[in-house]
Every structure is written in structure tokens, then in C-alpha cells.
Amino acid sequence: MIVDVLIVSSIYDFSTDLVVQELENRGVNYFRLNKENFTTYRSTIDIENKLLEVRVDGEIYQVTSATKSIYYRQPVFLRNTPSNSLTIDEQLSRSQWMGFLRSLVIFENAAWLNRPEATYLAETKAYQLILAQDIGFKIPTTLIGNDADKFQRFKQKIIIKSLDTILLRESNDCLFTYSTIKDPSELNDQNVSSAPLTVQEYVTQKIDIRVTVIGNKLVAVIITSEGHGIEEDWRTINRDLVEYTEIKLPKDIENHCFELLSKLKLNFGAIDLLLSNGEFTFVEINPTGEWGWLVNSDRRFDIDIATWLTEGK
């Protein structure tokens, strides 16, 4: 079967589940390439004929020049996911399958959500901040590094973030980091020097805004609790206390969002903004950002993405 839509994902991805369900409702020919199942597939990339063939459970799925779109939902192979030490064979398998995934860029006629090289560049926080500033967004004062003395230039509260997603294992516990509010005086050479940090001025009296862009469609949602902004990282509080309300952004801010995706060559992006004292501040863009938690009866990103994939634009 020649597939119209190829999905590169994980078996544990709720957002992908929603898209797949919508594609099945529409009768779309698709194949979901889950990274955990690579060794159970029998896969071949035929360079001469520009063809990907995957045999699984007695079925043959083919990605060709006729395939409309590729949803590259999981572009990083297991991203240091916590696990026991890897054997030599596991290390080899992981590295070579990552190379296999990168080889999918040969399907240039397909519409990508998003192309791997665009995703990798867009995930670089320093680059996206500079680009956002050049476009016209206000950005927070930001320092990246491991020199605690430099961080003392901040005179008020700061917010500390990792440069990349952190997933760690300690004994049987899996650890994930969130943004943390600190006083600059709490940073010193002993607790900073081992790894670089992203340190930004802390924007007070703020309301978080998540902007989801899919092609030429933009949806902005303010994130509040009991009608008020959440001072800490809103992901750390009880989800039952969090409210998501759709809003209309000012036209210039909308235009900045679309221009940012265009500059980054992305067709999908999840943009985080802050609204404080009537002013919008750009925080970051995630080219593979989560959106499943925003889906409800009135807001259906799964339908929007399925439509984009089936139309190839």
C-alpha cells in the first residue's frame, strides 16, 4: 500500500493517537512509524527509486514521491530517555536508526510537519530568541552559560531553564525539570559550573499565553487559575486548577508569530508568550510542542493537523 501520510512518532504519544484517529475516520492511507518498534519492522530505503518500504505483520507500506505529507512528530531518537546502561548493540542500533530517520529527508515532494533540519535549528533557544527579537518581539534579558558571576547582573528575581529537555534517572525515579524562580544570589560557582543554564529576567504579574500555529491557522490560549495569571511555572500546579481560554491576539503579534515560523521554515510551532502590563514578551517556540492537552469540543487541533496532512499544506 502506498501511504498518503507517514507519521514518525512513538507508541506513547497521545497527540499522535488523536491525529491517527481522525485520519482513520477520514479513510486516509497512513503508516505510523513508531521508534520503539524499529527492530520489528523490515525497512528499506531504495535510493535509486526514492522509495521507503516497511514490512510489518504481513503488510507492505510504501512511501513514494506520491506521498502527500510526513508528520515528523518525534524527530529526536529517544533524547537520552532514562534507562539502564546501553549495551554496545543497543548503542549501535540507536545511532544507526537515527541516521535512518534523517535519511527520510530525501522525500522532498512531501509536505513536512516539520522538516528535521528546520526542527533541529528551531530548538536552539539562543537562535530563536535572536530571530524573535529581530522580527519585533520583545524578549526577556537572557544569559546562557555557567559563569555564576555574570548572573549577578540581574538585580531582581530570575527564572532558570535548561537549554534542552532534561530527562534523568535516579534509582527507579525518572526526573524532569521545570522552569525555576530564583534569586540571583542563590547561584554560585559550586551549583552552576557543571552545566550551562539559561537565565532570564523574571516577568512579574504575567499571564501565560500558548499560541499554536498550524500552517496558516493560529489559535492563542491564555492560561490562568481562578481567572488570574499563574506566577510560577503553570505546569507544576494541579491541572484541575488551570483554565485555558481562547483569545484574539493583536494583529501585529499574530503577524510576528507567522513571520517567526516562516523564518524558521516551520509549518507547525507552539509559541509561549507572556502578557504583563499590556505588553507581550516572547518566551520560546517549540517546533514539536504538545497540544493534546488543549483539545476540547471547541478546539480541535487533531482535526486541523489531519486536514493539513491530507491536503499536503
Side-chain angles (χ1 to χ4, degrees), residues 257-273:
C257 291
F258 283 121
E259 186 177 358
L260 181 61
L261 264 77
S262 176
K263 294 284 188 183
L264 290 170
K265 299 181 180 179
L266 300 175
N267 293 309
F268 171 90
I271 300 172
D272 289 329
L273 304 176

Side-chain angles (χ1 to χ4, degrees), residues 78-208:
L78 297 182
R79 192 198 286 270
N80 298 322
T81 303
S83 63
N84 296 322
S85 297
L86 298 177
T87 66
I88 292 296
D89 285 344
E90 288 170 331
Q91 293 175 58
L92 176 65
S93 176
R94 181 178 293 196
S95 66
Q96 297 312 297
W97 280 115
M98 190 62 239
F100 187 88
L101 284 183
R102 289 198 301 269
S103 299
L104 297 180
V105 298
I106 66 172
F107 297 103
E108 296 178 325
N109 292 336
W112 284 74
L113 202 66
N114 296 298
R115 283 187 64 87
E117 67 273 21
T119 292
Y120 297 144
L121 181 59
E123 284 188 328
T124 306
K125 297 299 188 288
Y127 181 70
Q128 59 176 249
L129 282 165
I130 289 292
L131 201 58
Q133 184 179 47
D134 290 345
I135 287 170
F137 273 119
K138 173 183 168 63
I139 66 170
T141 300
T142 305
L143 295 178
I144 298 174
N146 71 335
D147 189 339
D149 289 344
K150 295 292 186 183
F151 299 146
Q152 303 312 308
R153 66 177 282 187
F154 293 97
K155 302 306 179 185
Q156 297 179 336
K157 294 281 187 184
I158 54 175
I159 189 160
I160 300 173
K161 305 174 182 178
S162 61
L163 271 70
D164 199 359
T165 300
I166 293 180
L167 292 170
L168 305 173
R169 175 180 288 276
E170 184 176 50
S171 298
N172 292 323
D173 295 327
C174 293
L175 309 177
F176 179 81
T177 62
Y178 293 100
S179 301
T180 305
I181 302 170
K182 293 282 188 181
D183 189 278
S185 62
E186 296 180 68
L187 302 184
N188 54 59
D189 194 64
Q190 185 176 0
N191 60 25
V192 165
S193 60
S194 63
L197 304 171
T198 300
V199 179
Q200 294 180 319
E201 63 175 318
Y202 177 59
V203 179
T204 59
Q205 298 178 328
K206 51 90 175 176
I207 294 178
D208 294 272

Side-chain angles (χ1 to χ4, degrees), residues 238-305:
N238 187 332
R239 287 294 179 91
D240 292 336
L241 302 177
V242 181
E243 306 143 351
Y244 310 109
T245 307
E246 192 167 333
I247 63 167
K248 180 70 174 176
L249 291 174
K251 194 62 179 177
D252 62 327
I253 300 298
E254 278 196 1
N255 290 339
H256 288 344
C257 291
F258 283 121
E259 186 177 358
L260 181 61
L261 264 77
S262 176
K263 294 284 188 183
L264 290 170
K265 299 181 180 179
L266 300 175
N267 293 309
F268 171 90
I271 300 172
D272 289 329
L273 304 176
L274 301 178
L275 177 60
S276 177
N277 297 319
E279 192 169 34
F280 291 86
T281 298
F282 172 87
V283 177
E284 67 177 2
I285 179 171
N286 190 332
T288 57
E290 297 296 334
W291 48 265
W293 49 275
L294 287 171
V295 171
N296 59 31
S297 59
D298 300 319
R299 196 183 305 114
R300 294 292 304 275
F301 295 113
D302 51 333
I303 291 179
D304 295 334
I305 290 176

